[in-house]
Structure formats: C-alpha cells, structure tokens
Amino acid sequence: MPHEPHLSSFVTPTLDETHPKMREKAPETRKAFFSVMRTGPFPACRTLLCGFVLLASLSACGRKSPGAHVYGPHCGICHHGGGGMPGETPPLVGRLDIIAQTPEGRTYLANVLLYGLEGPFKTQGYSYRYSMPGFASQLSDHDIAVTLNWLIDQGETKPAPHITDAEVAAARTHIGTPTSTYKLRATLDQTHPLP
C-alpha cells in the first residue's frame, strides 16, 4: 500500500491562515479533529467525519455578539464600526470605556442612547455640531446595555467597566431630550473631563 501523506499537513495551513478564530477558540476541537484523522477506521469515513467536525467548529467563528447585532442597524449607519467620521460623527471606541468608569458617566451614556444628544462639542481634536436621535422607544434596557458594553469592551480599559440593565432602567425613569443629555454632558465634563 502506498504511503499516504499525513492529512494534518493539508488541513493546518487552512485552519491557521484562513480561520484563525478556530485556532483561538477551539483547541480541543482541533485535537479531536487530528486524532480522528490519525486513528479512524476507513479513510473515507475519517474524511467525512472530520469534515463535519470542522464545519461545526467553524460555524461559530462568524457569529456576532448581541451588542454588535443591535449596534449595526441602529448605530453603525452613522458611527460605522465605532470609529466615527472625523468632524461628522464622533468616535465611540476608545472613549466610552473611559466615560463608563464612573456612575455619572454610565448614566450619561445611557441617556445618550435613550434620549439622543444635540449640541456642539470637541473630542480628539475635532469639533462636532452633533444631533443624534434617541432610541428609548425602539430598544430595551438590555439592548442598550449590551450595545454600550460591546463598545466599551473594544476600548483599552481593562477590566472594562460595564453598564447594567438596571442602570439603563434607572436612566429611563427620568424622561429626557437630546438637549437635556447635552446639559448632562456639560455637567459631567466639569467634574470628570470627557475624552
């Protein structure tokens, strides 16, 4: 019988280069995959079984977090991936994690998503005359919390502060407007300068 090349030499580059998330998230799956490849009873059965294992492992690689899922259609259209557009739409990533470090900052962030924000401000060297709608009637407290936490987690603050559903619910009890959120921002900026 001719010598068969070890199949892991064909699979490993694909896993490592094309699907790096599988390497990061599922080392046990890779071990099982290669174990079956080496010891399975028949080459065709081994290949078929390994294909199913690989497919099942990779199916989770592209899943979005709940926060990213809510962010896309509600916030992403203007703020893009969280980086904003200089002079047009302020960046979120790298700022929200700093703002969320205090209870007042978390209340302010909840108010921005609930009631919107309108007014001029400067951040990261750019001036904004900004008007953002609120999402109080469209998003639940949980949706707002997971969206903010998804953005906060992308910042450099570790461990990242998190906003709870209860904090959003508390902010919701004080009905606001984009202008009242702007006033809250000005007050917060005096006590805890905003990035």
Side-chain angles (χ1 to χ4, degrees):
M1 181 172 201
H3 174 71
E4 291 181 20
H6 195 275
L7 291 178
S8 66
S9 64
F10 296 113
V11 176
T12 302
T14 302
L15 292 174
D16 292 346
E17 295 166 18
T18 310
H19 304 291
K21 287 191 176 184
M22 181 182 175
R23 183 183 61 214
E24 295 169 11
K25 292 186 175 182
E28 306 83 27
T29 304
R30 287 184 67 205
K31 280 184 183 177
F33 177 82
F34 293 123
S35 174
V36 169
M37 290 299 286
R38 284 187 221 106
T39 61
F42 304 103
C45 292
R46 284 187 298 195
T47 304
L48 184 60
L49 179 60
C50 291
F52 284 125
V53 170
L54 180 62
L55 183 61
S57 299
L58 293 177
S59 67
C61 289
R63 290 194 184 139
K64 289 182 179 180
S65 73
H69 181 73
V70 174
Y71 177 87
H74 295 95
C75 315
I77 194 143
C78 294
H79 290 280
H80 309 284
M85 182 177 280
E88 296 277 331
T89 307
L92 304 173
V93 172
R95 292 180 51 240
L96 271 58
D97 58 314
I98 297 166
I99 296 169
Q101 290 179 3
T102 66
E104 299 85 3
R106 293 190 295 276
T107 298
Y108 163 71
L109 292 174
N111 273 273
V112 170
L113 263 73
L114 287 166
Y115 306 117
L117 177 66
E118 186 171 343
F121 62 92
K122 192 171 187 172
T123 184
Q124 298 182 346
Y126 292 96
S127 295
Y128 297 91
R129 172 78 183 138
Y130 197 62
S131 181
M132 178 186 141
F135 294 96
S137 64
Q138 298 169 343
L139 299 175
S140 69
D141 298 339
H142 180 72
D143 287 341
I144 290 172
V146 298
T147 302
L148 288 169
N149 289 332
W150 177 72
L151 289 162
I152 289 166
D153 286 342
Q154 292 181 59
E156 294 181 11
T157 304
K158 304 296 179 214
H162 279 148
I163 295 174
T164 65
D165 296 3
E167 287 174 307
V168 177
R172 192 183 290 268
T173 63
H174 305 287
I175 303 302
T177 65
T179 305
S180 67
T181 303
Y182 181 75
K183 289 177 183 173
L184 181 61
R185 176 188 173 79
T187 303
L188 181 61
D189 198 27
Q190 289 175 358
T191 56
H192 303 286
L194 297 174

